[in-house]
Amino acid sequence: MTERPQFVRLFDDPKVYRAQAFHAFWKPNGQEHPRLGITLKGKISSVWRAKLKRAIREWFRKNKDTLGKNDINIVVRSPQKLDIEFLDRLKRQLSSWSLKN
């Protein structure tokens, strides 16, 4: 997802999953494939922004078949300390989450 109207439509009564490192919002999109949006909260350096997005995109690519025909927005919560431990926690929590949760 890249355009504002797509995100606005998604946030009109979505299903929500809340984890410590991120919140996931999803809703059926009426298309033949899932679409991903990524939102990063707070001030994050460009290096860490790229690392976080890369990890989320990798999770999306590996799990595309199980995500159905949904628009999914992953909102990464700004941590107190942004380090490799947070990135690992984000990856673990993404891996353990499914749309059935």
Side-chain angles (χ1 to χ4, degrees):
M1 296 187 315
T2 57
E3 298 175 9
R4 185 172 177 1
Q6 296 169 340
F7 284 91
V8 170
R9 188 194 75 74
L10 174 61
F11 283 105
D12 180 32
D13 194 34
K15 294 180 182 173
V16 182
Y17 175 76
R18 289 178 174 82
Q20 185 181 6
F22 72 94
H23 292 185
F25 301 87
W26 73 94
K27 188 175 185 178
N29 64 14
Q31 297 186 2
E32 293 299 317
H33 53 83
R35 297 187 303 178
L36 175 67
I38 301 171
T39 305
L40 302 172
K41 295 277 193 175
K43 287 195 171 196
I44 300 175
S45 73
S46 59
V47 173
W48 278 103
R49 184 182 348 273
K51 287 180 183 187
L52 293 168
K53 285 184 171 185
R54 190 177 312 120
I56 294 168
R57 286 186 186 122
E58 179 183 351
W59 165 82
F60 181 76
R61 180 183 54 80
K62 288 181 178 179
N63 294 286
K64 231 178 197 180
D65 297 336
T66 64
L67 298 174
K69 300 173 184 178
N70 293 294
D71 284 342
I72 302 166
N73 188 32
I74 304 294
V75 179
V76 179
R77 302 179 64 202
S78 183
Q80 293 285 340
K81 182 179 177 185
L82 187 55
D83 56 9
I84 201 73
E85 289 176 21
F86 178 80
L87 185 59
D88 290 340
R89 186 175 341 123
L90 175 70
K91 288 178 182 179
R92 278 194 313 274
Q93 290 176 4
L94 279 169
S95 295
S96 67
W97 173 64
S98 72
L99 293 182
K100 294 172 182 67
N101 289 349

